Amino acid sequence: MRFLTNSVAETQALGSRLAAQLEPGDVLLLLGDMGAGKSELTRGIARGLGVKGYVTSPTFTILQLHEDGRMPLYHFDWYRLSDAEELYELSMDEYLYGDGVSVIEWPSRAEEVIPESYLQVELIPLGDEERAVELTPVGDFHPINEAALLPEGEA
């Protein structure tokens, strides 16, 4: 599935619509270069889950927990990991396989801990604010209703 967004607000709105289809235990791997929109999409997912506070990129903490929505959001940023062992030392696998949604930026830093089932989300900048967002379910990730991800009036 491929979607186009033309602004930060549209990228966040897509994330919010996606959140409505997420289930406890879901893992989303966000792919894209620096500035591709990964954190903006995550902000939208957080809003769609009912998270009230500001959602920052967890670059310096590896994990930001948001537990005030309809289910927990575990926002990982693995950019600064030296290896996957760091995640085990911090008991991060408990979150990754927990009762919330795990959104992981820079998953290539610890590929060996990625579950068999996940939603791959690739963000591709096409211009200053334009993005292509490609969703690819992997393994037995539950079906995503593509029509429900379109902006209202486009379905």
Side-chain angles (χ1 to χ4, degrees):
M1 289 173 265
R2 183 179 173 112
F3 302 89
L4 298 177
T5 63
N6 294 299
S7 66
V8 167
E10 286 184 15
T11 300
Q12 290 178 356
L14 175 62
S16 183
R17 291 189 300 274
L18 177 59
Q21 298 187 48
L22 298 177
E23 302 171 358
D26 280 352
V27 174
L28 284 72
L29 304 184
L30 303 189
L31 309 178
D33 294 332
M34 291 272 191
K38 298 181 296 293
S39 292
E40 295 302 339
L41 185 75
T42 302
R43 286 183 184 97
I45 291 169
R47 293 296 162 257
L49 291 175
V51 172
K52 306 266 187 284
Y54 185 70
V55 176
T56 62
S57 179
T59 300
F60 296 102
T61 59
I62 300 176
L63 171 65
Q64 292 282 335
L65 285 129
H66 302 280
E67 298 182 287
D68 59 339
R70 69 176 173 88
M71 71 180 117
L73 171 63
Y74 310 125
H75 183 192
F76 292 93
D77 187 324
W78 291 353
Y79 185 76
R80 298 195 186 285
L81 286 180
S82 56
D83 61 38
E85 190 59 36
E86 283 183 70
L87 291 174
Y88 291 113
E89 290 169 6
L90 298 169
S91 299
M92 296 293 176
D93 54 324
E94 292 177 25
Y95 296 108
L96 190 58
Y97 299 100
D99 58 354
V101 172
S102 295
V103 174
I104 303 168
E105 298 187 36
W106 303 102
S108 63
R109 303 284 191 183
E111 290 180 340
E112 56 270 35
V113 301
I114 294 171
E116 293 180 16
S117 175
Y118 57 88
L119 181 64
Q120 179 175 295
V121 182
E122 185 170 5
L123 291 102
I124 306 160
L126 302 174
D128 286 341
E129 292 196 17
E130 297 171 313
R131 302 284 181 267
V133 181
E134 295 182 356
L135 306 178
T136 307
V138 175
D140 62 354
F141 194 87
H142 59 84
I144 296 294
N145 179 346
E146 186 172 357
L149 295 178
L150 296 172
E152 200 168 304
E154 291 187 29

